[in-house]
Amino acid sequence: MSGTRTGESMLSRHLRILDVFGVDSAFLTLSQISRRSGLPVSTAHRLLDELERERLVERLPDRSYRLGLRLWELAARTPGALGLREIALPMMQGVQGAIRQHTQLGVRDGRDVVYLERLSHRDAVVSATVVGGRISLAASAIGHVLLSALPEEALADLFASGIPRYTKRTPQTLAEVAAAVTEVRARGRAVADGLVHPDARGIAVPVRGPEGEIVAGLGVVVPNDGRDPGPVVAVLRRAATGIEESLRRAYVAPGHPHALAGARYRPLINSSTSSMEYFDERGRAGQDRE
Amino acid sequence: MSGTRTGESMLSRHLRILDVFGVDSAFLTLSQISRRSGLPVSTAHRLLDELERERLVERLPDRSYRLGLRLWELAARTPGALGLREIALPMMQGVQGAIRQHTQLGVRDGRDVVYLERLSHRDAVVSATVVGGRISLAASAIGHVLLSALPEEALADLFASGIPRYTKRTPQTLAEVAAAVTEVRARGRAVADGLVHPDARGIAVPVRGPEGEIVAGLGVVVPNDGRDPGPVVAVLRRAATGIEESLRRAYVAPGHPHALAGARYRPLINSSTSSMEYFDERGRAGQDRE
DNA sequence: TGCGAGGTTTCCACTCATCGGAAAAGATGG
DNA sequence: CCATCTTTTCCGATGAGTGGAAACCTCGCA
């Protein structure tokens, strides 16, 4: 009766704990964690002990837990994300100086955009995103830009897990998303009105790697007035070009002295997927057996 | 013979794998990971499968692995670190504009400084640090600033695990570090010549939270010429003050509508440690039993 | 085309790390 | 002081995790 195994992997339980922390709930007590994660108190307690030993969580004097700095360290080693973010930062600052709203850099991860960096302005319109946050590819201008790099068939996959409906304009059908993507392909930029919040408009352009593949989306969130996005797009385009140049400089060609084992450039986004598994989240990296 | 348990926790094995990735080795194959981590190939393979399912690592088409974006997401939820970083960023940009070298923001974690943000300049002097990187408190100007907040006894603990010797000037004795700390306390800034690299000088000032506790160190790395650090210190001091003001604005007083459960402000650095366990890395959060 | 040397994936019998109910020990608040 | 809630410790049962071995790929070379 006691000590019944659950059939769940250790790792996912640890993550279950880490996942109950959020921006709105950064400090949690043992019993809160136990309740939120659905894990028995004693189990949560033991796991938290371990996590603390590994500095993945920290314990405050009042006995509440919070996520630890080790996570920050690990994230910093994420390749591409880090390099790209650092390379893009100066250019983003330029955009920020010109637009004075929210400037964001996002990459694709599965069906979502993950925001790598975000510069904000005090008086800027609302914006739901945070650094490290994610949002459906269908529901953001940067997402539309990233989608434009994928083959047609990939779009359908987006709807497999449903798209959260933030506002009445959040696209819910394949046709809506396809239309947006078509426009991105035609005009080289995305303009998305009120997808996440009715008063916000997203404008985004692609950032391309040395081989032309779309590596990230660079965008701003501005008030959703009817103004011509042209000037904003121009600013973004210039910044994107700057990032692309820096990326090229950072590119170490094969055989170059800097090309330490494993350190050479690789596309952030795998653009060479073939079948229908664009958003495949499973581990199956392999060939299908008979 | 086969299937002998190791006595090691699951978590630490997973982390062992994540830890073999570095900035210099961002892309690794199964056998590389197996060798570097010291785990048997089959074990590493299985663990990597799991890690991939949880998006903590990604697999590229050429079968090599790299750290996944989920880590970025988790890190973004780290409280304090994120808020502080975002708040400090504009001020750091100001410093960067004036000094045009490396501008860094670091907090204390155990015996180390962890760098939360870093702005660099193309022509700047060498600097070993990266965002998310860590370095002994004894071996950096920001470290000296952070040390100055701790009680005397804490200094001795620093040497418990030894201090890496980057250059001949990296402090190796308690007396050396104590002298540096005394100077920080007296002058409100740290100047460290050639601690990590002979040609580099670190200059740093403290950033204080709403209650006066030292929350972070703000610093620059400049060439190690004999110039008067005064003007640089003035720039840093102004920026630190700006950050402190923003922190105060971000502070949500108890009872304030924004004080959602768990979202209220807490000091980033626990300044209320009492005994000798300042750098305690173990999980023992508690009182000693009889 | 065949062969050898890697790397990668699958298999599976053996165990110990993990599980969680229970009870003890603290905290909190009347 | 007692009632309630949270945190910590304990411990017998058990299946998740283990890793050697073998099969399977993938090269490069002759």
Side-chain angles (χ1 to χ4, degrees):
Chain A
M1 337 279 79
S2 146
T4 315
R5 283 272 166 150
T6 45
E8 206 185 353
S9 91
M10 244 1 267
L11 180 62
S12 69
R13 309 187 132 227
H14 284 127
L15 284 170
R16 196 118 72 85
I17 288 192
L18 296 181
D19 273 338
V20 303
F21 292 90
V23 279
D24 55 321
S25 52
F27 301 91
L28 297 170
T29 65
L30 171 61
S31 33
Q32 287 177 309
I33 294 170
S34 157
R35 275 192 298 270
R36 291 187 179 213
S37 65
L39 296 168
V41 215
S42 58
T43 302
H45 184 257
R46 186 165 31 81
L47 296 186
L48 280 162
D49 248 23
E50 256 183 283
L51 289 167
E52 193 192 354
R53 248 193 306 281
E54 296 289 356
R55 298 206 338 277
L56 292 172
V57 306
E58 284 170 39
R59 187 128 212 215
L60 304 179
D62 70 348
R63 320 201 132 175
S64 64
Y65 295 90
R66 71 167 188 190
L67 295 181
L69 285 177
R70 175 98 174 259
L71 287 168
W72 198 264
E73 272 178 75
L74 286 168
R77 292 204 215 117
T78 309
L82 182 64
L84 177 61
R85 193 189 73 89
E86 289 187 332
I87 287 170
L89 195 51
M91 256 59 80
M92 291 182 68
Q93 287 163 13
V95 173
Q96 181 63 5
I99 316 283
R100 299 184 176 283
Q101 296 281 342
H102 302 288
T103 308
Q104 302 174 318
L105 183 74
V107 299
R108 180 174 79 85
D109 186 43
R111 289 179 240 262
D112 300 325
V113 185
V114 174
Y115 292 97
L116 297 184
E117 184 55 282
R118 164 193 158 126
L119 305 176
S120 294
H121 193 265
R122 205 169 336 127
D123 315 321
V125 288
V126 293
S127 171
T129 58
V130 287
V131 174
R134 52 174 57 226
I135 193 177
S136 166
L137 282 171
S140 95
I142 290 182
H144 292 171
V145 164
L146 297 174
L147 275 174
S148 74
L150 299 178
E152 284 312 329
E153 312 95 87
L155 290 186
D157 273 34
L158 257 189
F159 296 86
S161 59
I163 295 172
R165 190 176 194 84
Y166 301 103
T167 72
K168 62 179 62 155
R169 307 187 59 168
T170 309
Q172 298 288 310
T173 67
L174 176 55
E176 288 172 275
V177 177
V181 167
T182 304
E183 204 195 309
V184 174
R185 291 200 180 120
R187 335 254 312 229
R189 92 288 188 275
V191 178
D193 286 346
L195 264 41
V196 174
H197 188 284
D199 298 338
R201 150 184 281 183
I203 306 177
V205 300
V207 178
R208 295 176 185 279
E211 261 115 64
E213 76 283 13
I214 294 186
V215 154
L218 175 69
V220 292
V221 179
V222 298
N224 189 3
D225 45 18
R227 267 196 277 182
D228 176 25
V232 173
V233 171
V235 170
L236 285 174
R237 199 103 70 185
R238 196 155 351 115
T241 308
I243 296 171
E244 286 160 6
E245 268 167 30
S246 300
L247 278 177
R248 256 189 299 278
R249 271 201 299 275
Y251 177 94
V252 284
H256 184 281
H258 272 116
L260 309 167
R264 67 188 186 283
Y265 176 90
R266 307 215 188 178
L268 280 177
I269 302 297
N270 163 21
S271 48
S272 64
T273 358
S274 59
S275 74
M276 291 207 53
E277 306 162 271
Y278 306 100
F279 303 120
D280 190 8
E281 299 184 14
R282 291 276 136 235
R284 269 169 307 126
Q287 43 296 88
D288 31 18
R289 311 197 328 294
E290 81 293 336
Chain B
M1 347 267 76
S2 143
T4 316
R5 280 270 165 154
T6 45
E8 206 185 354
S9 91
M10 241 6 267
L11 182 62
S12 68
R13 309 188 130 225
H14 284 127
L15 285 169
R16 195 117 74 86
I17 288 191
L18 296 181
D19 273 338
V20 303
F21 291 91
V23 278
D24 55 321
S25 52
F27 300 91
L28 297 170
T29 66
L30 171 61
S31 34
Q32 288 177 308
I33 294 170
S34 157
R35 274 191 299 270
R36 291 186 178 214
S37 65
L39 296 168
V41 210
S42 57
T43 302
H45 184 256
R46 187 166 29 80
L47 296 185
L48 280 163
D49 248 22
E50 257 182 283
L51 289 168
E52 192 193 355
R53 248 193 305 279
E54 296 290 354
R55 296 206 340 275
L56 292 171
V57 305
E58 284 170 39
R59 188 128 212 217
L60 304 180
D62 70 349
R63 322 202 131 176
S64 64
Y65 295 91
R66 69 168 190 189
L67 295 180
L69 286 177
R70 175 99 173 257
L71 288 168
W72 197 263
E73 272 178 75
L74 286 168
R77 293 204 215 116
T78 309
L82 182 65
L84 176 61
R85 193 189 74 88
E86 288 187 333
I87 287 170
L89 193 51
M91 258 58 81
M92 291 182 69
Q93 287 164 12
V95 173
Q96 180 64 6
I99 316 283
R100 298 184 178 284
Q101 296 281 343
H102 302 287
T103 308
Q104 301 173 319
L105 183 74
V107 298
R108 181 175 78 84
D109 186 43
R111 291 178 238 263
D112 299 325
V113 185
V114 174
Y115 292 96
L116 297 184
E117 184 55 280
R118 163 194 160 123
L119 305 176
S120 295
H121 193 266
R122 205 170 335 128
D123 315 322
V125 287
V126 292
S127 170
T129 58
V130 288
V131 174
R134 50 174 59 228
I135 194 177
S136 167
L137 283 171
S140 95
I142 289 182
H144 293 170
V145 164
L146 297 174
L147 276 174
S148 74
L150 299 178
E152 284 313 328
E153 312 94 87
L155 290 187
D157 273 34
L158 258 189
F159 296 87
S161 60
I163 296 173
R165 189 177 196 84
Y166 301 103
T167 72
K168 61 177 64 153
R169 307 186 60 168
T170 308
Q172 297 288 312
T173 68
L174 177 55
E176 288 172 276
V177 177
V181 168
T182 303
E183 202 196 311
V184 175
R185 291 201 180 119
R187 335 254 312 229
R189 91 288 186 275
V191 177
D193 285 346
L195 263 42
V196 174
H197 189 283
D199 298 339
R201 150 185 280 183
I203 306 177
V205 301
V207 178
R208 295 176 185 279
E211 261 114 65
E213 77 282 12
I214 293 187
V215 154
L218 175 69
V220 291
V221 178
V222 298
N224 189 3
D225 45 18
R227 266 198 277 181
D228 175 25
V232 173
V233 172
V235 171
L236 285 174
R237 200 102 71 185
R238 195 155 352 115
T241 307
I243 295 172
E244 286 159 7
E245 266 168 33
S246 300
L247 278 177
R248 256 189 299 280
R249 271 202 298 277
Y251 177 94
V252 284
H256 185 281
H258 273 116
L260 309 167
R264 67 188 186 283
Y265 176 89
R266 307 214 188 177
L268 280 176
I269 301 297
N270 165 21
S271 48
S272 64
T273 357
S274 59
S275 73
M276 292 208 53
E277 304 162 271
Y278 305 100
F279 303 120
D280 190 9
E281 298 186 13
R282 292 274 136 238
R284 270 170 305 127
Q287 43 296 87
D288 31 19
R289 309 193 334 291
E290 81 292 339

